[in-house]
Amino acid sequence: MPKTNLTEQKISSYSLPTEASWAIKSRKSALNWLETTGLPNRRDEYWKNTDPSYFNTIKKPERNKIDYVENSIFENIDRINIVFEDGYFNASKSDELLLKGIEIDTISVANQKDNHWSANYFGVLEKSSQVPVERTLASLNTAFAVEGLAIRITDKIDKPISITYLHSNDTSDVLIHHVIKIEKNASVTILESGGVASRSNCLMEVFVCENAEFDHVRVQGRSHEKIAVTHLFANLLKDSSMKSFTLTVNGKSIRNEYVVDINGENSKAHLGGAAVGDRGFSQDDTIFVSHNNPNCESRQVFKKVLRNGAKGVFQGKILVKDGAQKTDGYQISQGLMLDDDSSFLAKPELEIYADDVICSHGSTCGEIDNAALFYLTSRGIPMAEAQDMLVLAFLNDAIEEISDESIRTIIGSRLKDWMVKRHKS
Amino acid sequence: MLYINNLNVELEDEKKKILNGVNLDINAGEVHAIMGPNGSGKSTLSYVLSGKDGYRVTEGSATFEGREILELSPDERASLGLFLAFQYPVEIPGVGNMTFLRTALNSQRKSRGVEELSAAEFLKIVREKAKKLKIDAEMLKRPVNVGFSGGEKKRNEILQMAMLEPKMCILDETDSGLDVDAMKLVAEGVNALRSKDRSFLVITHYQRLLDHIVPDVVHIMADGKIIKSGGADLALEVENNGYSDLLAEYN
């Protein structure tokens, strides 16, 4: 892809921060990749179904209307709360960051320090994930993001760390970069919720060490105007596990990319997502899971409910490298269309170089089951409510991917509330 | 209670006529049985009465408790007290059986202006009724009909009937796919619900079920209409001689 004018314009709208030499080096490397490779465009294989111009343009995004009224969906959970407001870390609204088993710094602090632990991790997974598919919106993030957290977990942490992104009614356009390292035998749950900004580009690099566990649940804000691109890069060492679930309701264009590298035996990576959208909604999950070692398991369970001309995109790949025997890979993507105007575009892929593996992938696209609808209504359940029950039932498989029951319940009831509100509006 | 007058129905898509002037009066407390060969329109009658899509009523009426029901939505009919026990109960993955039952019961109560049942009250009643039908807690927890055997599905239908306490119960081939013991259990469930205020319309191919649920009136349906009505012994006649004599008589 040639360097374009657009890329130059975008780059010139940011400036590189002055930081420790390691940070400058990482940022320059990302910038160099972005300059030579250019921002994504519609001719790129993995951008055929989602218009990248929402993310590429330097034009100010529109104001988002709904998000600010939303407190964190997780506010009733006992948690460590960290607040970002319009993309900036807000210390006064956040809980104390000095905790046993947890080291947290903002990246603006971490990247100033000559020998911060994150020096060997910042931008590393982003960089290694640029091949075979370029992800230059992530390079842009590594080059210029000055907000975000560097979190190091050294113990089993019971309380979830909840990152709340408050967003006021403005036209913020932000980059956030988190680096998370979960040390050997440690575990943590990270919750993310809120609208972030009118337009956001959020990136998370996660290093899951031996026998460590990473649990991640993310709820993207409810605004219809929001534009968001996210990247979750994860590296798993042996006997480790990760689970990540994302709920997306509404938005103009949301693209969630996942790159998971399984680099040790007996590790597990489960990714799940539920998306619900109305008119003008475009939501894209682009996933790349790489099995590099034997005896590992991966799951991708993604469900989308679309109505009034909404669009859902799923591009999911499982790569099983030579020698990754006994891999158990599973992938399902399903679109439920509530009318004829909506569309679900799916590109499920398997690439397998080992001969003793179980890998399955499926993708379906359908409408509400009329027989089930009649069954429910014939028992006295009104049509709208019966339809909601079936929509929730459809999403249930994805929600089941969340391991914590109380969080699962919160997500389920949020979806229910949303549907009831929809009927009233 | 239910009065069907000259009901004519065709399939919406194919313009194929299925019911050709059905007349049927069911009074409160009565049990009526409809028998008839395959394709005679028995199941269609049950679907049209409960409001399934895909049928067009070209003539006639059906009044239930004094109200014309053919224009009502399925949930409105259910709230008035109409219940269809399905021949093939639908599996609904992702919807818990208990959630479904409670939502149904409370929707009906709401529409009748009766206070909704709390989770605890509901649980107590459903456990009691499920026990009588040998439905265990595990079955109640599972998604609606998913992984249920044929017998379990039919018992689940009767449980719904027992919970919703409808005034008019239509049983569409509830005996199909049941072994003798399962049929007895289902029949006991139905008989326990018989009362002077509740009527039944039992659709079946075989007389067997009617040994257990003894009807007041038996109707023979053929070619989309009722060709003969009689007492319980009419069912025996069909069992012994088949439909051919009755059909010959009709033609």
Side-chain angles (χ1 to χ4, degrees):
Chain A
M1 194 165 44
K3 179 164 118 174
T4 63
N5 220 0
L6 193 73
T7 305
E8 276 174 28
Q9 280 175 14
K10 187 83 171 176
I11 289 171
S12 64
S13 69
Y14 295 99
S15 55
L16 280 173
T18 316
E19 290 172 328
S21 58
W22 62 265
I24 294 170
K25 201 175 146 209
S26 301
R27 291 188 188 277
K28 281 193 173 159
S29 158
L31 179 59
N32 185 41
W33 177 256
L34 171 62
E35 280 173 332
T36 51
T37 318
L39 287 167
N41 70 62
R42 288 307 282 268
R43 288 185 301 277
D44 295 341
E45 180 62 26
Y46 287 92
W47 284 95
K48 279 183 178 156
N49 298 321
T50 294
D51 185 357
S53 60
Y54 282 117
F55 311 113
N56 291 344
T57 175
I58 53 167
K59 215 178 97 199
K60 275 268 179 196
E62 284 173 39
R63 281 173 199 278
N64 288 15
K65 296 188 187 90
I66 298 177
D67 285 326
Y68 193 68
V69 292
E70 262 192 299
N71 286 325
S72 173
I73 181 176
F74 302 118
E75 64 188 346
N76 294 324
I77 288 183
D78 187 18
R79 62 191 173 134
I80 300 152
N81 194 28
I82 301 173
V83 176
F84 284 76
E85 199 157 0
D86 293 322
Y88 295 98
F89 170 68
N90 186 323
S92 61
K93 288 188 178 170
S94 300
D95 289 343
E96 182 63 56
L97 301 186
L98 282 170
L99 295 148
K100 191 179 165 288
I102 309 175
E103 263 178 58
I104 303 184
D105 286 306
T106 61
I107 58 157
S108 49
V109 169
N111 289 13
Q112 302 283 350
K113 292 185 179 166
D114 284 328
N115 43 18
H116 193 266
W117 66 265
S118 66
N120 297 322
Y121 301 96
F122 180 82
V124 169
L125 293 184
E126 174 270 301
K127 189 175 183 181
S128 64
S129 303
Q130 296 291 344
V131 182
V133 179
E134 298 143 1
R135 300 167 206 277
T136 47
L137 286 165
S139 320
L140 176 83
N141 184 302
T142 299
F144 299 116
V146 287
E147 290 294 327
L149 301 169
I151 304 177
R152 184 165 162 255
I153 306 292
T154 53
D155 207 341
K156 291 192 191 308
I157 307 300
D158 293 333
K159 266 193 207 180
I161 297 175
S162 166
I163 307 173
T164 306
Y165 302 102
L166 297 178
H167 175 221
S168 60
N169 191 5
D170 70 353
T171 59
S172 50
D173 183 7
V174 311
L175 304 173
I176 293 179
H177 192 122
H178 300 304
V179 181
I180 298 168
K181 187 175 184 221
I182 305 156
E183 298 287 358
K184 190 173 170 180
N185 302 327
S187 66
V188 72
T189 297
I190 304 264
L191 308 174
E192 291 185 281
S193 63
V196 187
S198 287
R199 178 169 65 182
S200 60
N201 174 335
C202 291
L203 188 154
M204 186 182 269
E205 297 181 276
V206 188
F207 299 83
V208 190
C209 299
E210 248 180 74
N211 200 35
E213 282 172 39
F214 170 59
D215 239 316
H216 177 229
V217 179
R218 171 167 65 177
V219 179
Q220 298 179 306
R222 280 209 343 256
S223 152
H224 288 278
E225 293 88 16
K226 78 169 169 277
I227 297 165
V229 61
T230 73
H231 290 86
L232 174 62
F233 298 112
N235 183 59
L236 274 67
L237 298 186
K238 77 172 195 184
D239 301 319
S240 68
S241 75
M242 76 166 282
K243 268 194 162 202
S244 173
F245 172 87
T246 299
L247 173 67
T248 311
V249 174
N250 301 340
K252 196 174 277 171
S253 187
I254 291 104
R255 168 138 161 158
N256 296 322
E257 290 201 25
Y258 303 78
V259 181
V260 177
D261 243 329
I262 304 179
N263 282 318
E265 276 199 65
N266 302 315
S267 292
K268 277 183 200 169
H270 289 194
L271 306 175
V276 184
D278 215 313
R279 197 189 332 268
F281 175 78
S282 170
Q283 195 271 350
D284 175 332
D285 290 301
T286 294
I287 300 157
F288 191 95
V289 174
S290 177
H291 284 264
N292 309 326
N293 286 86
N295 296 312
C296 294
E297 180 193 306
S298 72
R299 282 171 71 80
Q300 300 172 30
V301 181
F302 286 81
K303 302 244 185 173
K304 301 177 204 290
V305 178
L306 307 158
R307 70 195 273 271
N308 270 332
K311 180 170 79 175
V313 178
F314 176 85
Q315 311 183 103
K317 183 165 187 170
I318 307 172
L319 169 66
V320 181
K321 289 197 184 157
D322 188 15
Q325 301 294 10
K326 306 284 179 194
T327 288
D328 182 354
Y330 175 75
Q331 181 197 94
I332 181 86
S333 61
Q334 295 183 300
L336 178 66
M337 250 64 71
L338 298 184
D339 54 48
D340 292 343
D341 303 329
S342 302
S343 59
F344 175 55
L345 306 161
K347 187 183 179 199
E349 291 180 279
L350 289 179
E351 195 177 330
I352 303 175
Y353 297 100
D355 56 8
D356 184 15
V357 302
I358 304 169
C359 269
S360 62
H361 65 338
S363 185
T364 67
C365 180
E367 54 185 13
I368 289 255
D369 178 359
N370 275 325
L373 203 57
F374 175 58
Y375 192 77
L376 295 177
T377 53
S378 80
R379 297 303 183 241
I381 301 171
M383 182 60 93
E385 204 175 327
Q387 215 179 56
D388 287 353
M389 282 177 91
L390 293 177
V391 167
L392 283 173
F394 168 80
L395 293 172
N396 196 48
D397 288 344
I399 295 168
E400 284 290 312
E401 293 295 309
I402 302 169
S403 44
D404 186 284
E405 199 187 331
S406 56
I407 295 174
R408 216 162 45 220
T409 310
I410 288 173
I411 301 281
S413 48
R414 165 57 60 98
L415 273 167
K416 221 175 188 170
D417 288 351
W418 178 82
M419 283 194 264
V420 172
K421 272 190 196 126
R422 198 192 61 199
H423 293 312
K424 285 180 183 159
S425 65
Chain B
M1 179 166 284
L2 177 67
Y3 302 105
I4 303 168
N5 181 31
N6 189 31
L7 186 60
N8 283 268
V9 171
E10 61 184 26
L11 283 181
E12 219 164 48
D13 295 343
E14 302 168 40
K15 291 220 161 172
K16 189 183 165 201
K17 232 177 156 195
I18 315 252
L19 298 182
N20 293 301
V22 174
N23 290 297
L24 184 64
D25 290 352
I26 303 174
N27 297 314
E30 289 180 354
V31 175
H32 288 232
I34 293 190
M35 302 180 76
N38 292 328
S40 57
K42 303 186 301 291
S43 287
T44 298
L45 177 64
S46 72
Y47 288 147
V48 170
L49 289 175
S50 47
K52 193 178 179 184
D53 273 354
Y55 302 99
R56 187 185 297 111
V57 176
T58 54
E59 217 184 325
S61 66
T63 56
F64 174 60
E65 294 275 89
R67 274 190 77 173
E68 175 58 59
I69 57 167
L70 295 177
E71 293 298 316
L72 299 179
S73 63
D75 58 296
E76 288 168 328
R77 299 181 202 201
S79 294
L80 283 179
L82 197 76
F83 181 91
L84 168 66
F86 283 64
Q87 181 179 2
Y88 304 110
V90 184
E91 297 192 6
I92 313 181
V95 175
N97 210 9
M98 290 278 249
T99 312
F100 158 61
L101 256 173
R102 193 170 153 228
T103 310
L105 184 60
N106 279 337
S107 299
Q108 291 201 15
R109 291 173 76 101
K110 203 168 151 189
S111 111
R112 294 186 200 125
V114 184
E115 204 184 323
E116 295 179 31
L117 281 185
S118 73
E121 288 168 314
F122 169 80
L123 203 64
K124 193 168 163 256
I125 303 172
V126 78
R127 277 197 186 136
E128 202 177 291
K129 302 208 175 196
K131 203 175 160 193
K132 282 192 187 139
L133 288 159
K134 297 194 175 154
I135 290 174
D136 57 26
E138 164 65 21
M139 247 175 89
L140 287 174
K141 265 191 237 157
R142 271 192 278 172
V144 179
N145 294 322
V146 177
F148 286 25
S149 70
E152 285 173 334
K153 282 182 183 166
K154 297 298 172 78
R155 262 149 51 204
N156 200 32
E157 294 292 289
I158 305 303
L159 174 67
Q160 290 167 38
M161 198 162 91
M163 289 301 296
L164 298 171
E165 301 183 313
K167 291 178 191 147
M168 175 79 230
C169 310
I170 305 170
L171 276 63
D172 187 8
E173 300 202 20
T174 295
D175 51 338
S176 69
L178 294 187
D179 62 37
V180 184
D181 293 334
M183 192 162 69
K184 265 191 190 158
L185 195 64
V186 164
E188 275 167 23
V190 171
N191 286 330
L193 290 168
R194 284 179 78 155
S195 86
K196 63 176 178 30
D197 304 318
R198 182 174 291 130
S199 311
F200 289 85
L201 180 61
V202 182
I203 295 169
T204 182
H205 270 293
Y206 304 105
Q207 190 263 339
R208 263 187 336 189
L209 180 68
L210 304 179
D211 282 344
H212 302 285
I213 306 171
V214 181
D216 299 304
V217 189
V218 174
H219 307 278
I220 307 298
M221 198 163 175
D223 208 14
K225 60 164 73 170
I226 287 166
I227 59 163
K228 187 166 184 170
S229 302
D233 37 342
L234 183 56
L236 272 175
E237 199 184 316
V238 169
E239 183 76 3
N240 294 333
N241 307 331
Y243 291 112
S244 50
D245 289 357
L246 288 166
L247 291 175
E249 206 177 296
Y250 162 67
N251 289 328

